[in-house]
Every structure is written in structure tokens, then in C-alpha cells.
């Protein structure tokens, strides 16, 4: 990995490149969601460049020139591989495997898969909410995080009870593991941002940039639920997820703009 000072190469969400606090770049599938949030795969988009910066960003003099040349070569390699991966990542954003699985199911099978996945998805949101409550000083963020933890813990209990009452099963370990794997890149980014004291990116921004795509995936899964679920009660639950989390996405985006 080529060290590029404090200037990761390219726009992180557009070319399969993801910035980390180490200021190196790591390949991940590029975001494919139409209208997706631009910071989706970058925990610190304010540190990402739209192209290679000048010598002051990468160093100066001979050392800076060498870094620039090495950076350009590395950039071409990363973009080539990242673009080559596009065909394999064109089925969704964060929850690619989960979304693909749900698209193949309907009726009882869908209900069990959706509820199991959403239980794990909610657990991820609760983990992020608890993390930001430990560090945020913003009353709005703290209130939002507390509401997430309270509401989604209640929904976890509701979904677990429905699985047992309707189908006589516990949440599926397979589907929960699938969801956890799909959430991991986004959650790792958000958690890293919230646990990085002294970093130019605020902990509040890290939380919002993680929670927005997290909510969006819940909305997308729930839209599929309206078409594919067997139980009317579950469809009403999914409609509630769509309404509440879509509204929260709009609010979080407004707060995020004010933080920039």
C-alpha cells in the first residue's frame, strides 16, 4: 500500500475505493444504489479528493514528486480493479447478499428470512446508537440515538415473538449471519469514526453517515416485504419501518449538512 499523506485518492464512493483513518485506501465494491448517499462507503468523505491533490497534499519537493508518481500508478490500479468488480456488485448497496436472498423468496419463507434479517439489522442500529451515546455532546443526536435504541429493541422482541407464534421457529442463524456480514463494512466505518478522538471528522458525522445508509437498507427491505410477505401484520410493520426511517433519513441529512 502506498502512503499518500493525508490525501486518499479519488472520490471514495465512486470508484470502489474506501478511505480509512490510516489514510490508505482499500478496495470494496462501489455503491450502486441509484441516488445513494455519497458518503456511503467512506467514513470520512471530507478527507477524500475528487482527484489527486497538489504537491502540498502529498508532500513537497522530490519526496512529494515521488509520492505523486507512485500515487498515480496506484490510483490507476485501484480504479481498474474497482471497475472490474462493478458487475459483481450491481445488485445493491450495503445489503447485497441479503437483498438478493429476499428477492428469491415469498410467503412463509420470506417472512422468516425478513424477520430474522431485520432482527440482526436492528441489533446493528442499536449498537451504533449505544456507541454514539457514549461520545456525542449534541442533544439532537443523543435524542435520536436513544429513540433508535428504544424503538428497535422493542421491534426485535416483536419480530422474535412473531417468528415463534406464527411459524414455531427462532430467528434463523443463517439469515442473521448473512445480514451481519452485509452490514460489516458500513458498521466498521461508522464505529471507527465514532471511536477516533481528535480526528477532523466529528463523531456525530460518523454516526449520521453510518445510520443513513443503514436506515435506507431497512426501507428497501421493507418495500420488498409489502410485495412478498404472507402475514398482513408483518406488512403493516414494514409500512411503519418505511415511514419512520424515511422520515429519519431526511432529518439526518439536514443535520449532516449543518455539520459540514
Amino acid at each position: 500500500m502506498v502512503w499518500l499523506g493525508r490525501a486518499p485518492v479519488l472520490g471514495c464512493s465512486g470508484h470502489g475505493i474506501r478511505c480509512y483513518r490510516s489514510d490508505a485506501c482499500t478496495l470494496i465494491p462501489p455503491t450502486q444504489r441509484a441516488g445513494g448517499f455519497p458518503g456511503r462507503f467512506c467514513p470520512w468523505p471530507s478527507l477524500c479528493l475528487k482527484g489527486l491533490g497538489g504537491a502540498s497534499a502529498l508532500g513537497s519537493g522530490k519526496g512529494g514528486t515521488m509520492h505523486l508518481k507512485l500515487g498515480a500508478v496506484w490510483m490507476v490500479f485501484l480504479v481498474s480493479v474497482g471497475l472490474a468488480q462493478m458487475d459483481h456488485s450491481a445488485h445493491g448497496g450495503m445489503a447485497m447478499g441479503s437483498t438478493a436472498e429476499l428477492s428469491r423468496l415469498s410467503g412463509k419463507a420470506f417472512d422468516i428470512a425478513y424477520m430474522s434479517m431485520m432482527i440482526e439489522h436492528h441489533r446493528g442500529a442499536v449498537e451504533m446508537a449505544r456507541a454514539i451515546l457514549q461520545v456525542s455532546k449534541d442533544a439532537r443526536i443523543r435524542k435520536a440515538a436513544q429513540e433508535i435504541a428504544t424503538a428497535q429493541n422493542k421491534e426485535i422482541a416483536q419480530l422474535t415473538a412473531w417468528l415463534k407464534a406464527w411459524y414455531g421457529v427462532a430467528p434463523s442463524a443463517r439469515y442473521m449471519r448473512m445480514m451481519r456480514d452485509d452490514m460489516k463494512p458500513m458498521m466498521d466505518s461508522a464505529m471507527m469514526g465514532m471511536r477516533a478522538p481528535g480526528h477532523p471528522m466529528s463523531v456525530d458525522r460518523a454516526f449520521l453517515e453510518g445510520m443513513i445508509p443503514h436506515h435506507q437498507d431497512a426501507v428497501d427491505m421493507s418495500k420488498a416485504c409489502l410485495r412478498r410477505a404472507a402475514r398482513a401484520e408483518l406488512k403493516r410493520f414494514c409500512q411503519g419501518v418505511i415511514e419512520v426511517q424515511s422520515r429519519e433519513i431526511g432529518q439526518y441529512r439536514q443535520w449532516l449538512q449543518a455539520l459540514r
Side-chain angles (χ1 to χ4, degrees):
M1 183 65 69
V2 179
W3 178 256
L4 296 179
R6 299 199 63 79
V9 294
L10 289 180
C12 297
S13 64
H15 296 277
I17 298 171
R18 179 182 184 184
C19 296
Y20 283 95
R21 189 167 186 262
S22 64
D23 302 316
C25 288
T26 300
L27 281 173
I28 60 168
T31 178
Q32 295 293 306
R33 185 187 306 285
F37 191 70
R40 184 173 189 82
F41 286 123
C42 181
W44 295 291
S46 60
L47 297 183
C48 295
L49 302 183
K50 298 302 181 184
L52 279 173
S56 61
L58 299 175
S60 58
K62 294 181 179 179
T65 301
M66 179 61 70
H67 278 176
L68 183 60
K69 290 179 179 178
L70 290 173
V73 172
W74 187 243
M75 175 186 70
V76 171
F77 170 75
L78 288 176
V79 172
S80 299
V81 178
L83 292 175
Q85 292 183 349
M86 277 185 155
D87 290 341
H88 303 290
S89 60
H91 299 293
M94 179 187 78
M96 289 180 290
S98 303
T99 302
E101 182 72 14
L102 289 175
S103 71
R104 293 191 288 266
L105 303 174
S106 62
K108 173 183 175 180
F110 179 93
D111 289 2
I112 292 173
Y114 172 89
M115 288 190 282
S116 300
M117 290 179 186
M118 192 58 71
I119 286 168
E120 191 64 24
H121 195 267
H122 276 14
R123 286 177 177 170
V126 171
E127 289 172 24
M128 292 168 63
R130 288 174 175 168
I132 195 62
L133 284 170
Q134 294 177 13
V135 294
S136 178
K137 307 298 183 185
D138 189 312
R140 300 168 306 171
I141 300 294
R142 294 184 61 82
K143 182 174 183 291
Q146 189 59 63
E147 289 173 349
I148 287 170
T150 300
Q152 299 203 14
N153 274 326
K154 182 179 179 181
E155 290 177 356
I156 287 170
Q158 180 67 81
L159 293 170
T160 302
W162 279 344
L163 280 167
K164 183 176 181 180
W166 297 345
Y167 302 119
V169 298
S172 164
R174 172 176 172 264
Y175 288 134
M176 293 171 75
R177 184 169 55 251
M178 183 182 296
M179 175 55 68
R180 177 60 59 166
D181 289 344
D182 286 341
M183 289 191 301
K184 190 175 188 304
M186 180 278 301
M187 284 198 62
D188 285 353
S189 298
M191 290 296 195
M192 189 182 302
M194 287 185 279
R195 295 169 179 169
H199 196 275
M201 178 182 179
S202 74
V203 294
D204 296 325
R205 189 182 305 165
F207 172 75
L208 294 172
E209 289 186 349
M211 195 57 73
I212 288 170
H214 193 274
H215 270 21
Q216 185 60 57
D217 281 300
V219 169
D220 293 344
M221 290 169 61
S222 296
K223 287 179 178 178
C225 170
L226 298 180
R227 301 187 302 271
R228 295 177 173 274
R231 303 286 302 213
E233 303 98 314
L234 184 57
K235 290 184 178 182
R236 286 194 293 271
F237 172 91
C238 293
Q239 185 61 48
V241 170
I242 293 167
E243 292 172 2
V244 171
Q245 298 203 20
S246 293
R247 183 171 63 249
E248 290 176 347
I249 287 170
Q251 181 64 80
Y252 298 166
R253 282 177 171 159
Q254 290 180 14
W255 292 346
L256 191 57
Q257 289 298 320
L259 289 175
R260 287 175 171 170

